């Protein structure tokens, strides 16, 4: 018997198109979080609903995913509507439901990309080569963490209880790739952008329930550039700017090892106390 | 005859509720951009559609606005739907149309905010006091710029043609308030977050058409904190990270003069070449 040729990410983001245009999918145990699916996987599924649409134009440049309610283990339905298609851009409104209740909403912007002037105005963080760093031990973490090989250069673990607040900072720097390796594309990049633990966990030496409420990703590479990148790990850096009133923001950059900034991503995260 | 008691921002974001729940509004000449309305004003209008809804819960924490197509001068219609209401959060899907065509799409997340642990992990930029800086000369700029008093501490104007690329950086630091002064609230803050010129104009010594395609703002203050801030100017800092393939991102922070980080905002901007 041959091995399953489908990578777990492709299996978990697979959608079946109904005659009415709506899409059917299902949660996948490989990407389970503590409760429901890992948010990055849900973001990838929402994006895939537009990516696989027969009228899709160009490559994604922006994706916003709002985690409106819990996603139960099992089947779900997605509707992806091209709200407006222009000559070189296309705007999508995407909704995930279970039993008629909205679980996730999203918008995506696609564009026909072409060469222009280019520049990078931020600096790739310094980090040792990925293969010189130990792989993150995901033994006591939810299943989705085992679908990634993470190698932290900085900020890899939760703060020790008792550490003074002012000794901590929310920044982490980490090499990440799909496990097993899978060529980079928009689906995997959308999910990778949410693999950073909520900054409250890193920043504050005390456990509190936390979860992403809204996630926005900007893609700075086109499909050809991602395909050429192949299965190499990407370097992620994540940090927060403000914690308070039950929520904090966090921002991430995803860099290629060649110094190309592939994506920037922002989210707002709930925390209990 | 008494003066019009309504501030231009309140007039321009005013919405009338139809019996079917949809909202009617109209563009306002005071906030005109070179073509159509200023994007920040459109963001404020979209947010106001949810803010003024009778079933609205709590304060906005996240707003994403997608500029899907041009907004013509004149009336428009908005539909704001609470896609999901939880115990302490509420998710909105908001659509602006003209003659049945989608002009703008948005999602917003509202939440009941309450005191929690808080911290700020980024640094307020240094800037001279607002009243020591000259007001930006908006003589040759579109009407919306005259609804703001901007005082640049850094990066106030477009690059001079001929300046070498590597002598430039996309960052600006600017004190801004509504003109005439108006107490700060979510509507004005949503608009303020888009008052930074597209970074391509600052970064590159050559003119090119440019415009925001998608804008996401996170609010770090609650309604009471904004009301207490009053009419004082806020300090904005904006920068880009990546320009290429026809688009660039940019991120902004909005600080109170007391050092409170009020909002962080991100956008992706089209540029022609």
């Amino acid at each position: 018997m041959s091995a399953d040729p489908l990578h777990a990410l492709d299996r978990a983001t697979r959608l079946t198109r109904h005659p009415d245009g709506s899409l059917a999918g299902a949660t996948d145990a490989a990407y389970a979080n503590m409760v429901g699916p890992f948010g990055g996987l849900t973001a990838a599924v929402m994006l895939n609903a537009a990516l696989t649409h027969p009228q899709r134009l160009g490559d994604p440049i922006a994706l916003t995913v709002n985690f409106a309610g819990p996603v139960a283990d099992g089947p779900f339905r997605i509707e992806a509507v091209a709200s407006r298609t222009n000559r070189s851009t296309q705007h999508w409104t995407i909704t995930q439901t279970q039993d008629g209740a909205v679980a996730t909403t999203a918008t995506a912007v696609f564009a026909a990309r072409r060469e222009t002037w280019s520049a990078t105005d931020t600096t790739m963080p310094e980090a040792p080569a990925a293969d010189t760093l130990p792989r993150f031990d995901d033994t006591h973490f939810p299943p989705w963490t085992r679908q990634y090989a993470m190698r932290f250069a900085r900020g890899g673990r939760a703060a020790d209880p008792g550490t003074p607040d002012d000794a901590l900072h929310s920044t982490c720097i980490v090499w990440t790739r799909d496990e097993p390796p899978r060529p980079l594309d928009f689906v995997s990049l959308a999910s990778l952008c949410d693999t950073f633990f909520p900054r409250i966990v890193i920043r504050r030496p005390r456990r509190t329930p936390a979860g992403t409420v809204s996630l926005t990703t900007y893609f700075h590479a086109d499909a050809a550039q991602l395909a050429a990148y192949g299965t190499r790990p990407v370097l992620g850096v994540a940090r927060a700017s403000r914690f308070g009133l039950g929520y904090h923001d966090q921002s991430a950059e995803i860099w290629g090892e060649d110094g190309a900034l592939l994506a920037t991503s922002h989210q707002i995260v709930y925390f209990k106390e």
Side-chain angles (χ1 to χ4, degrees), chain A residues 56-135:
Chain A
R56 186 253 295 186
L57 177 157
D59 288 337
I61 59 167
L63 172 70
T64 292
V65 180
N66 304 291
F67 301 94
V71 178
D73 293 337
F76 54 77
R77 177 189 162 101
I78 294 182
E79 301 226 44
V81 176
S83 304
R84 179 154 188 147
T85 301
N86 301 308
R87 198 165 51 88
S88 63
T89 59
Q90 189 173 52
H91 288 258
W92 291 86
T93 300
I94 308 161
T95 311
Q96 181 190 45
T97 54
Q98 285 186 312
D99 292 331
V102 171
T104 314
T105 65
T107 59
V109 186
F110 282 61
R113 305 202 75 162
R114 52 191 175 65
E115 284 301 326
T116 59
W117 181 78
S118 67
T120 303
D121 265 15
T122 186
T123 308
M124 184 175 178
E126 290 188 27
D131 58 12
T132 66
L133 294 167
R135 185 168 163 192

Side-chain angles (χ1 to χ4, degrees), chain A residues 77-205:
Chain A
R77 177 189 162 101
I78 294 182
E79 301 226 44
V81 176
S83 304
R84 179 154 188 147
T85 301
N86 301 308
R87 198 165 51 88
S88 63
T89 59
Q90 189 173 52
H91 288 258
W92 291 86
T93 300
I94 308 161
T95 311
Q96 181 190 45
T97 54
Q98 285 186 312
D99 292 331
V102 171
T104 314
T105 65
T107 59
V109 186
F110 282 61
R113 305 202 75 162
R114 52 191 175 65
E115 284 301 326
T116 59
W117 181 78
S118 67
T120 303
D121 265 15
T122 186
T123 308
M124 184 175 178
E126 290 188 27
D131 58 12
T132 66
L133 294 167
R135 185 168 163 192
F136 175 69
D137 178 3
D138 51 33
T139 310
H140 300 293
F141 286 79
W144 73 263
T145 60
R146 288 186 269 291
Q147 314 314 319
Y148 292 97
M150 301 190 211
R151 298 169 194 278
F152 282 89
R154 176 180 170 179
R157 65 201 191 89
D160 287 320
T163 311
D165 271 13
D166 57 5
L168 296 165
H169 194 277
S170 65
T171 301
C172 80
I173 300 172
V174 54
W175 289 104
T176 308
R177 62 160 172 76
D178 287 295
E179 174 61 39
R182 176 186 177 282
L184 194 64
D185 61 12
F186 290 112
V187 169
S188 61
L189 189 50
S191 184
L192 270 164
C193 284
D194 194 38
T195 54
F196 305 95
F197 299 123
R199 296 298 91 189
I200 186 76
V201 173
I202 307 298
R203 179 63 174 78
R204 197 182 181 212

Side-chain angles (χ1 to χ4, degrees), chain A residues 245-257:
Chain A
L245 299 172
Y247 293 86
H248 70 81
D249 66 342
Q250 65 187 57
S251 288
E253 298 162 0
I254 302 281
W255 296 84
E257 56 179 28

Side-chain angles (χ1 to χ4, degrees), chain A residues 226-259:
Chain A
L226 296 185
Y229 195 75
T231 60
R232 289 177 286 169
V234 294
L235 186 67
V237 54
R239 58 179 76 84
S241 58
R242 174 67 190 168
F243 302 81
L245 299 172
Y247 293 86
H248 70 81
D249 66 342
Q250 65 187 57
S251 288
E253 298 162 0
I254 302 281
W255 296 84
E257 56 179 28
D258 50 1

